[in-house]
Amino acid sequence: MTDRIIGAAPDGGGDRRRVVVLDHGSGNLRSAERALAAAGADVLVTGDLAAAADADGLVVPGVGAFAACMAGIEAIGAGPVIAERVAAGRPVLGICVGMQVLFEFGDEHGLVTKGLGLLPGSVTRLAAARLPHMGWNTVQAPVGSVLFAGLPVDSRFYFVHSYAVTDAAALTGAGAKVTTAHHESDFVAAVERGALSAAQFHPEKSADTGAALLRNWLATVPAGD
């Protein structure tokens, strides 16, 4: 049986995009760097805010705890740069905890930490007996998704997390395209709203499907001079 395809993969043209992977002390920096370079970007891993502001695309990685990730972002003063890029319609991609901190707050182990507030909602413990949710899982992408364009509906991505956003309705109500996944209960696996994209899974660890997603994202990033 032929796989059903979600849309058609966009054509990003031939220019290489300048992408900064933000080094705030938390994230799979080198894995992200290698995966983005393989997808066709010129990649710089740095905590330099001028470079982050100037790049064609900005990737915000993150692993571990929400509070630690936010502390790292605040320590280098990156919050306003991320927010200004989003407000100006300049591409930002959040990955794993780098996605989670884009929301209003995270609640982990009873500790509530304020996030960047660029997306509505909160990050809470998954309603699942088996945690962390670790390994490969399918996702349910909406019609019109750019991140998942051209990918078969049974594509699998690599997850490692115990916390997630679960209120997809608040995001769709705010004009976002929401991709969900299921691990004993539903949660938000990816978000697309304007120039802001985010994935709870690790595209840089998701083999060919992750590489295709990164190419799709890069195709939305306008090449600078």
Side-chain angles (χ1 to χ4, degrees):
M1 185 175 66
T2 303
D3 289 332
R4 183 165 65 88
I5 301 297
I6 306 169
D11 179 5
D15 295 327
R16 291 180 70 87
R17 278 60 172 167
R18 297 176 300 111
V19 173
V20 162
V21 176
L22 186 65
D23 184 359
H24 55 82
S26 173
N28 294 311
L29 302 177
R30 300 307 169 188
S31 295
E33 178 186 28
R34 289 192 296 268
L36 286 158
D42 289 328
V43 188
L44 175 64
V45 177
T46 182
D48 182 79
L49 298 184
D54 184 60
D56 299 328
L58 177 64
V59 174
V60 182
V63 295
F66 187 107
C69 188
M70 273 305 303
I73 288 172
E74 291 171 349
I76 65 171
V81 173
I82 298 169
E84 287 163 12
R85 286 189 63 98
V86 172
R90 304 187 63 226
V92 172
L93 172 65
I95 295 176
C96 196
V97 184
M99 165 182 166
Q100 295 179 359
V101 295
L102 299 172
F103 287 83
E104 293 171 297
F105 65 90
D107 185 349
E108 294 187 356
H109 307 293
L111 174 65
V112 176
T113 303
K114 185 178 179 181
L116 297 174
L118 301 177
L119 291 168
S122 60
V123 178
T124 56
R125 186 177 174 87
L126 283 169
R130 293 177 293 112
L131 292 176
H133 171 219
M134 179 182 295
W136 297 85
N137 203 346
T138 57
V139 301
Q140 292 75 51
V143 173
S145 168
V146 172
L147 287 180
F148 298 91
L151 289 172
V153 295
D154 59 352
S155 296
R156 301 173 74 84
F157 298 87
Y158 189 78
F159 291 83
V160 184
H161 65 121
S162 297
Y163 295 81
V165 176
T166 58
D167 190 356
L171 288 163
T172 56
K177 291 184 176 68
V178 179
T179 294
T180 60
H182 186 85
H183 175 68
E184 300 185 37
S185 60
D186 290 339
F187 63 91
V188 175
V191 180
E192 302 165 64
R193 188 175 73 173
L196 182 59
S197 303
Q200 177 60 68
F201 52 84
H202 286 277
E204 77 280 10
K205 294 185 175 182
S206 296
D208 291 344
T209 51
L213 183 142
L214 291 175
R215 289 194 297 270
N216 282 347
W217 178 70
L218 283 173
T220 72
V221 177
D225 296 331

